Amino acid sequence: MKTALITGITGQDGAYLSEFLLKKGYIVHGLKRRSSLFNTDRIDHLYQDPHESNRNFILHYGDMTDSTNLIRLIQEIQPDEIYNLAAMSHVHVSFETPEYTANADGLGTLRLLEAIRLLGLEKKTRIYQASTSELYGTVQEVPQTEKTPFYPRSPYAVAKMYAFWITVNYREAYGIFASNGILFNHESPLRGETFVTRKITRAAARIALGLQDKLYLGNLDAQRDWGHAKDYVRMMWMILQAEEAEDWVIATGKTTPVRDFVRMAFAEAGLYLRWEGTGVNEVGILDSIDIKKFEQATGLKLTVQGSTFNVQGAESGTHSPLQGGRGGEPRTPNIGTTLVKVDPKYFRPTEVDLLIGDATKAKEKLGWEPKITLEGLVIDMMQSDLKLMKKDQYLREGGYKTLNYFK
Ligand code: NAP
Ligand code: G4F
């Protein structure tokens, strides 16, 4: 039975990887930061009471900025595999917290590698480093492969660049089985709420249910190679089972502008958008409604009079765009309402315009291919967020206040 240590276990990938490794029969240890509120929502279903015997899922307090803590834990756990997923992972936020990001994301990796070396675990412990397509930044080649030169464009990417090379260095200098997975964007219903895909699916669900009026976004032109996190955590494990430690690009090979992801997400709720204007003046306007799809997705019933759509039995105080405003009384249809606007506050000081990966090496040497398409990803995220947001709707109908989310 193998033992794994996952840093960043409370994050999106940490949660999926935990499930994956537990199914494979691993004992999973996780590093979790102390916080003043519980932040274990994504892994609560895996939690085991500390009083139980023979636990196979064990959490430890720790932090990537605390060397002694990491050394002690690795000494206690003696892991066969370490998955270093912990990071301040938000690119935009890294411009606000560059020093912390360098410490946690860059030096944090060094601390783990050095712990393996100091404890004499070079031959026992394999380590996976969560590297990123952000390393390519201003891309020097399309598509990007393991050989494409890096040109990082944010404090996050620069910190991850240090982590990438220190992983390579410890592999070459000390013979540690240390591999980088250069993962392109991967998303899921568990994605953090302020990354663009989740921000979009949450807002599309809320707008369809009449809980929010508009979605404000930054750069709609940016293109990303989006896959599903479930496919990517499987590959993390495969990377550590490979014959040799190496670096691997993991991507779908398809790229999509943010604008198209928005269109696809709203369409899952039966709301079809058209785009007008350019740059900061670009807007997404409700162009038409697929009534059947809308009703299936939201559970709401629409009445149609000519070209007028109303939500049947809408409660006073709701403000579905389909209803046209507060009050619930019949209204002119809001086909033509602006649902998406650009807010320059979401622009980054330096942007990564285009990412598209070539995962041929992973396919040929490890037999990895993504199973879930972008369409499948959008459906998964929209179904999950519609379900989640319906809870807010019930609360509102019950007279409770719910939060607005405009991050
Ligand atoms: P995520 O959801 O933001 O999770 C990050 C995890 O790191 C969380 O568990 C977080 O803990 C933890 N963490 C942050 N700072 C820490 C610190 N100082 N000490 C200990 N733990 C800390 O990120 P993700 O999407 O799962 O990504 C996992 C890893 O892959 C990250 O390293 C990310 O940079 C990298 N990556 C992600 C993608 C992607 O598209 N998702 C692509 C390429 C690479 P809290 O829950 O307490 O915040
Ligand atoms: O969803 P994002 O914040 O992800 P980003 O910057 O690509 O980084 C993610 O993927 C990396 C892998 O390439 C990871 F290493 C990293 O940890 C993280 O998981 O933004 C995607 C794109 C950007 O171009 C951004 O400018 O969407 C654009 N965008 C447009 N409007 C927005 C928004 N991004 C966010 N977060 N919020 C917006 O309102």
Side-chain angles (χ1 to χ4, degrees), residues 146-184:
E146 291 81 3
K147 296 202 166 76
T148 305
F150 297 148
Y151 192 134
R153 291 268 283 173
S154 63
Y156 166 78
V158 174
K160 285 280 187 177
M161 178 124 158
Y162 175 83
F164 177 94
W165 283 115
I166 201 68
T167 300
V168 173
N169 182 246
Y170 270 57
R171 175 167 82 216
E172 292 173 355
Y174 306 114
I176 296 174
F177 194 109
S179 296
N180 285 289
I182 308 173
L183 269 53
F184 283 63

Short mmCIF file of all heavy atoms in Angstrom, two decimals, residues 146-184:
data_model
loop_
_atom_site.label_atom_id
_atom_site.label_comp_id
_atom_site.label_asym_id
_atom_site.label_seq_id
_atom_site.Cartn_x
_atom_site.Cartn_y
_atom_site.Cartn_z
N GLU A 146 7.02 20.69 -24.61
CA GLU A 146 8.04 20.65 -23.54
C GLU A 146 9.28 21.45 -23.93
O GLU A 146 10.07 21.84 -23.07
CB GLU A 146 8.44 19.21 -23.23
CG GLU A 146 7.36 18.37 -22.55
CD GLU A 146 6.32 17.81 -23.53
OE1 GLU A 146 6.46 18.02 -24.75
OE2 GLU A 146 5.37 17.16 -23.04
N LYS A 147 9.45 21.68 -25.23
CA LYS A 147 10.66 22.36 -25.70
C LYS A 147 10.47 23.87 -25.94
O LYS A 147 11.42 24.58 -26.21
CB LYS A 147 11.13 21.71 -27.02
CG LYS A 147 11.54 20.27 -26.86
CD LYS A 147 12.47 19.84 -28.00
CE LYS A 147 13.15 18.53 -27.68
NZ LYS A 147 12.29 17.37 -27.82
N THR A 148 9.26 24.33 -25.85
CA THR A 148 8.99 25.76 -26.10
C THR A 148 9.61 26.61 -24.98
O THR A 148 9.41 26.32 -23.79
CB THR A 148 7.46 26.01 -26.14
OG1 THR A 148 6.89 25.14 -27.11
CG2 THR A 148 7.15 27.46 -26.46
N PRO A 149 10.37 27.65 -25.35
CA PRO A 149 10.97 28.49 -24.30
C PRO A 149 9.91 29.23 -23.48
O PRO A 149 8.82 29.51 -23.97
CB PRO A 149 11.80 29.51 -25.10
CG PRO A 149 11.94 28.95 -26.46
CD PRO A 149 10.76 28.07 -26.70
N PHE A 150 10.25 29.50 -22.23
CA PHE A 150 9.32 30.19 -21.32
C PHE A 150 9.45 31.71 -21.46
O PHE A 150 10.53 32.22 -21.76
CB PHE A 150 9.59 29.80 -19.87
CG PHE A 150 9.39 28.33 -19.56
CD1 PHE A 150 10.17 27.70 -18.60
CD2 PHE A 150 8.42 27.59 -20.23
CE1 PHE A 150 9.99 26.35 -18.30
CE2 PHE A 150 8.24 26.24 -19.95
CZ PHE A 150 9.02 25.62 -18.98
N TYR A 151 8.35 32.42 -21.18
CA TYR A 151 8.37 33.89 -21.14
C TYR A 151 7.27 34.32 -20.17
O TYR A 151 6.18 34.75 -20.57
CB TYR A 151 8.11 34.46 -22.54
CG TYR A 151 8.38 35.94 -22.70
CD1 TYR A 151 9.10 36.42 -23.80
CD2 TYR A 151 7.89 36.88 -21.78
CE1 TYR A 151 9.33 37.78 -23.96
CE2 TYR A 151 8.13 38.23 -21.94
CZ TYR A 151 8.85 38.67 -23.04
OH TYR A 151 9.08 40.03 -23.20
N PRO A 152 7.51 34.13 -18.86
CA PRO A 152 6.44 34.35 -17.87
C PRO A 152 6.00 35.81 -17.82
O PRO A 152 6.80 36.71 -18.03
CB PRO A 152 7.09 33.92 -16.56
CG PRO A 152 8.56 33.99 -16.79
CD PRO A 152 8.78 33.72 -18.25
N ARG A 153 4.71 36.03 -17.49
CA ARG A 153 4.15 37.37 -17.57
C ARG A 153 3.45 37.83 -16.29
O ARG A 153 2.62 38.74 -16.31
CB ARG A 153 3.12 37.41 -18.70
CG ARG A 153 3.74 37.28 -20.08
CD ARG A 153 4.06 38.61 -20.69
NE ARG A 153 2.85 39.25 -21.20
CZ ARG A 153 2.81 40.48 -21.68
NH1 ARG A 153 3.91 41.21 -21.69
NH2 ARG A 153 1.69 41.00 -22.13
N SER A 154 3.76 37.17 -15.17
CA SER A 154 3.14 37.58 -13.90
C SER A 154 4.04 37.12 -12.77
O SER A 154 4.83 36.19 -12.93
CB SER A 154 1.76 36.94 -13.74
OG SER A 154 1.91 35.53 -13.68
N PRO A 155 3.90 37.74 -11.59
CA PRO A 155 4.67 37.26 -10.44
C PRO A 155 4.40 35.77 -10.17
O PRO A 155 5.30 35.03 -9.78
CB PRO A 155 4.17 38.13 -9.28
CG PRO A 155 3.74 39.40 -9.96
CD PRO A 155 3.15 38.98 -11.28
N TYR A 156 3.15 35.35 -10.41
CA TYR A 156 2.82 33.92 -10.26
C TYR A 156 3.67 33.07 -11.19
O TYR A 156 4.30 32.09 -10.77
CB TYR A 156 1.32 33.72 -10.55
CG TYR A 156 0.91 32.28 -10.75
CD1 TYR A 156 0.74 31.42 -9.67
CD2 TYR A 156 0.67 31.78 -12.04
CE1 TYR A 156 0.34 30.10 -9.86
CE2 TYR A 156 0.28 30.45 -12.23
CZ TYR A 156 0.12 29.62 -11.14
OH TYR A 156 -0.26 28.31 -11.33
N ALA A 157 3.70 33.46 -12.46
CA ALA A 157 4.42 32.65 -13.45
C ALA A 157 5.92 32.67 -13.18
O ALA A 157 6.60 31.64 -13.36
CB ALA A 157 4.11 33.16 -14.86
N VAL A 158 6.43 33.80 -12.72
CA VAL A 158 7.87 33.88 -12.43
C VAL A 158 8.21 32.98 -11.22
O VAL A 158 9.23 32.27 -11.22
CB VAL A 158 8.31 35.34 -12.19
CG1 VAL A 158 9.76 35.40 -11.74
CG2 VAL A 158 8.12 36.17 -13.46
N ALA A 159 7.34 32.98 -10.22
CA ALA A 159 7.56 32.10 -9.07
C ALA A 159 7.52 30.64 -9.50
O ALA A 159 8.36 29.81 -9.07
CB ALA A 159 6.49 32.37 -8.00
N LYS A 160 6.57 30.32 -10.37
CA LYS A 160 6.45 28.94 -10.85
C LYS A 160 7.62 28.55 -11.74
O LYS A 160 7.95 27.38 -11.88
CB LYS A 160 5.13 28.77 -11.61
CG LYS A 160 3.89 28.70 -10.71
CD LYS A 160 3.74 27.30 -10.10
CE LYS A 160 2.43 27.18 -9.34
NZ LYS A 160 2.21 25.82 -8.79
N MET A 161 8.24 29.57 -12.35
CA MET A 161 9.41 29.29 -13.19
C MET A 161 10.58 28.84 -12.30
O MET A 161 11.31 27.90 -12.63
CB MET A 161 9.80 30.55 -13.95
CG MET A 161 11.00 30.38 -14.81
SD MET A 161 10.58 30.80 -16.48
CE MET A 161 12.19 31.15 -17.10
N TYR A 162 10.74 29.50 -11.16
CA TYR A 162 11.77 29.07 -10.20
C TYR A 162 11.48 27.63 -9.76
O TYR A 162 12.37 26.77 -9.75
CB TYR A 162 11.79 30.00 -8.98
CG TYR A 162 12.76 29.52 -7.92
CD1 TYR A 162 14.13 29.82 -8.01
CD2 TYR A 162 12.32 28.71 -6.87
CE1 TYR A 162 15.01 29.32 -7.07
CE2 TYR A 162 13.21 28.22 -5.93
CZ TYR A 162 14.56 28.53 -6.03
OH TYR A 162 15.43 28.03 -5.11
N ALA A 163 10.21 27.38 -9.45
CA ALA A 163 9.84 26.03 -8.97
C ALA A 163 10.12 24.99 -10.05
O ALA A 163 10.59 23.88 -9.75
CB ALA A 163 8.35 26.01 -8.59
N PHE A 164 9.84 25.34 -11.30
CA PHE A 164 10.09 24.40 -12.41
C PHE A 164 11.57 24.02 -12.44
O PHE A 164 11.94 22.85 -12.42
CB PHE A 164 9.68 25.05 -13.75
CG PHE A 164 9.99 24.17 -14.94
CD1 PHE A 164 9.02 23.33 -15.46
CD2 PHE A 164 11.25 24.17 -15.54
CE1 PHE A 164 9.29 22.51 -16.55
CE2 PHE A 164 11.52 23.35 -16.63
CZ PHE A 164 10.54 22.52 -17.13
N TRP A 165 12.43 25.04 -12.45
CA TRP A 165 13.86 24.76 -12.66
C TRP A 165 14.52 24.14 -11.43
O TRP A 165 15.45 23.35 -11.55
CB TRP A 165 14.60 26.03 -13.11
CG TRP A 165 14.34 26.32 -14.56
CD1 TRP A 165 13.69 27.39 -15.09
CD2 TRP A 165 14.72 25.49 -15.69
NE1 TRP A 165 13.63 27.29 -16.46
CE2 TRP A 165 14.25 26.14 -16.86
CE3 TRP A 165 15.39 24.27 -15.83
CZ2 TRP A 165 14.45 25.62 -18.14
CZ3 TRP A 165 15.58 23.75 -17.10
CH2 TRP A 165 15.11 24.42 -18.24
N ILE A 166 14.02 24.49 -10.23
CA ILE A 166 14.63 23.89 -9.03
C ILE A 166 14.24 22.39 -8.98
O ILE A 166 15.02 21.56 -8.50
CB ILE A 166 14.23 24.64 -7.73
CG1 ILE A 166 15.26 24.35 -6.63
CG2 ILE A 166 12.84 24.35 -7.24
CD1 ILE A 166 16.61 24.91 -6.85
N THR A 167 13.08 22.07 -9.52
CA THR A 167 12.68 20.66 -9.61
C THR A 167 13.62 19.91 -10.57
O THR A 167 14.12 18.82 -10.25
CB THR A 167 11.20 20.56 -10.09
OG1 THR A 167 10.39 21.24 -9.14
CG2 THR A 167 10.75 19.12 -10.23
N VAL A 168 13.88 20.52 -11.72
CA VAL A 168 14.80 19.92 -12.69
C VAL A 168 16.18 19.79 -12.05
O VAL A 168 16.86 18.75 -12.16
CB VAL A 168 14.90 20.78 -13.97
CG1 VAL A 168 15.98 20.25 -14.91
CG2 VAL A 168 13.54 20.84 -14.67
N ASN A 169 16.60 20.84 -11.35
CA ASN A 169 17.94 20.83 -10.76
C ASN A 169 18.12 19.72 -9.72
O ASN A 169 19.14 19.03 -9.69
CB ASN A 169 18.25 22.20 -10.16
CG ASN A 169 19.65 22.27 -9.59
OD1 ASN A 169 19.83 22.41 -8.39
ND2 ASN A 169 20.66 22.08 -10.44
N TYR A 170 17.12 19.55 -8.85
CA TYR A 170 17.23 18.51 -7.81
C TYR A 170 17.18 17.10 -8.43
O TYR A 170 17.78 16.16 -7.91
CB TYR A 170 16.16 18.70 -6.73
CG TYR A 170 16.67 19.60 -5.61
CD1 TYR A 170 17.13 20.87 -5.90
CD2 TYR A 170 16.73 19.16 -4.29
CE1 TYR A 170 17.62 21.71 -4.90
CE2 TYR A 170 17.22 19.98 -3.29
CZ TYR A 170 17.67 21.25 -3.60
OH TYR A 170 18.16 22.05 -2.61
N ARG A 171 16.49 17.00 -9.55
CA ARG A 171 16.49 15.71 -10.26
C ARG A 171 17.89 15.41 -10.78
O ARG A 171 18.41 14.31 -10.60
CB ARG A 171 15.49 15.81 -11.43
CG ARG A 171 15.44 14.62 -12.34
CD ARG A 171 14.21 14.73 -13.24
NE ARG A 171 14.42 15.59 -14.40
CZ ARG A 171 13.48 16.39 -14.92
NH1 ARG A 171 12.28 16.47 -14.37
NH2 ARG A 171 13.73 17.11 -15.98
N GLU A 172 18.49 16.43 -11.41
CA GLU A 172 19.81 16.21 -12.02
C GLU A 172 20.93 16.13 -10.98
O GLU A 172 21.87 15.34 -11.11
CB GLU A 172 20.10 17.33 -13.03
CG GLU A 172 19.17 17.25 -14.24
CD GLU A 172 19.30 18.45 -15.19
OE1 GLU A 172 20.05 19.41 -14.87
OE2 GLU A 172 18.64 18.42 -16.25
N ALA A 173 20.83 16.95 -9.94
CA ALA A 173 21.92 17.02 -8.95
C ALA A 173 21.90 15.85 -7.97
O ALA A 173 22.94 15.32 -7.59
CB ALA A 173 21.83 18.33 -8.18
N TYR A 174 20.70 15.43 -7.55
CA TYR A 174 20.61 14.44 -6.46
C TYR A 174 19.88 13.16 -6.87
O TYR A 174 19.65 12.29 -6.02
CB TYR A 174 19.91 15.07 -5.24
CG TYR A 174 20.57 16.36 -4.81
CD1 TYR A 174 19.88 17.56 -4.91
CD2 TYR A 174 21.88 16.38 -4.33
CE1 TYR A 174 20.48 18.75 -4.53
CE2 TYR A 174 22.50 17.58 -3.96
CZ TYR A 174 21.79 18.75 -4.08
OH TYR A 174 22.39 19.93 -3.71
N GLY A 175 19.49 13.07 -8.12
CA GLY A 175 18.84 11.84 -8.60
C GLY A 175 17.46 11.63 -8.03
O GLY A 175 16.94 10.50 -8.00
N ILE A 176 16.83 12.70 -7.55
CA ILE A 176 15.46 12.55 -7.02
C ILE A 176 14.49 12.36 -8.19
O ILE A 176 14.64 13.00 -9.24
CB ILE A 176 15.06 13.81 -6.21
CG1 ILE A 176 15.97 13.94 -4.98
CG2 ILE A 176 13.60 13.78 -5.79
CD1 ILE A 176 15.78 15.23 -4.20
N PHE A 177 13.51 11.47 -8.02
CA PHE A 177 12.47 11.31 -9.04
C PHE A 177 11.53 12.51 -8.89
O PHE A 177 10.56 12.48 -8.14
CB PHE A 177 11.72 9.98 -8.85
CG PHE A 177 10.88 9.61 -10.05
CD1 PHE A 177 11.24 8.54 -10.86
CD2 PHE A 177 9.72 10.33 -10.36
CE1 PHE A 177 10.46 8.20 -11.98
CE2 PHE A 177 8.95 9.99 -11.46
CZ PHE A 177 9.32 8.92 -12.28
N ALA A 178 11.89 13.59 -9.60
CA ALA A 178 11.14 14.85 -9.49
C ALA A 178 10.69 15.26 -10.89
O ALA A 178 11.53 15.48 -11.76
CB ALA A 178 12.02 15.92 -8.87
N SER A 179 9.37 15.36 -11.09
CA SER A 179 8.83 15.65 -12.42
C SER A 179 7.92 16.86 -12.39
O SER A 179 7.15 17.05 -11.44
CB SER A 179 8.02 14.47 -12.94
OG SER A 179 8.84 13.34 -13.11
N ASN A 180 8.00 17.65 -13.48
CA ASN A 180 7.06 18.75 -13.65
C ASN A 180 5.94 18.32 -14.58
O ASN A 180 6.19 17.81 -15.67
CB ASN A 180 7.76 19.94 -14.33
CG ASN A 180 8.70 20.68 -13.39
OD1 ASN A 180 8.23 21.38 -12.47
ND2 ASN A 180 10.01 20.53 -13.60
N GLY A 181 4.71 18.60 -14.16
CA GLY A 181 3.58 18.52 -15.08
C GLY A 181 3.27 19.95 -15.49
O GLY A 181 2.91 20.76 -14.64
N ILE A 182 3.47 20.25 -16.78
CA ILE A 182 3.17 21.62 -17.25
C ILE A 182 1.72 21.60 -17.69
O ILE A 182 1.39 21.32 -18.86
CB ILE A 182 4.11 22.03 -18.41
CG1 ILE A 182 5.57 21.79 -18.03
CG2 ILE A 182 3.88 23.48 -18.79
CD1 ILE A 182 6.57 22.00 -19.17
N LEU A 183 0.85 21.84 -16.73
CA LEU A 183 -0.58 21.66 -16.98
C LEU A 183 -1.20 22.94 -17.52
O LEU A 183 -0.98 24.03 -16.97
CB LEU A 183 -1.30 21.22 -15.70
CG LEU A 183 -1.39 19.69 -15.53
CD1 LEU A 183 -0.03 19.01 -15.65
CD2 LEU A 183 -2.08 19.31 -14.25
N PHE A 184 -1.97 22.79 -18.58
CA PHE A 184 -2.77 23.90 -19.10
C PHE A 184 -4.03 23.99 -18.24
O PHE A 184 -4.31 23.11 -17.43
CB PHE A 184 -3.05 23.68 -20.59
CG PHE A 184 -1.83 24.01 -21.44
CD1 PHE A 184 -0.65 23.29 -21.31
CD2 PHE A 184 -1.86 25.07 -22.34
CE1 PHE A 184 0.48 23.62 -22.07
CE2 PHE A 184 -0.74 25.40 -23.10
CZ PHE A 184 0.44 24.68 -22.96
#
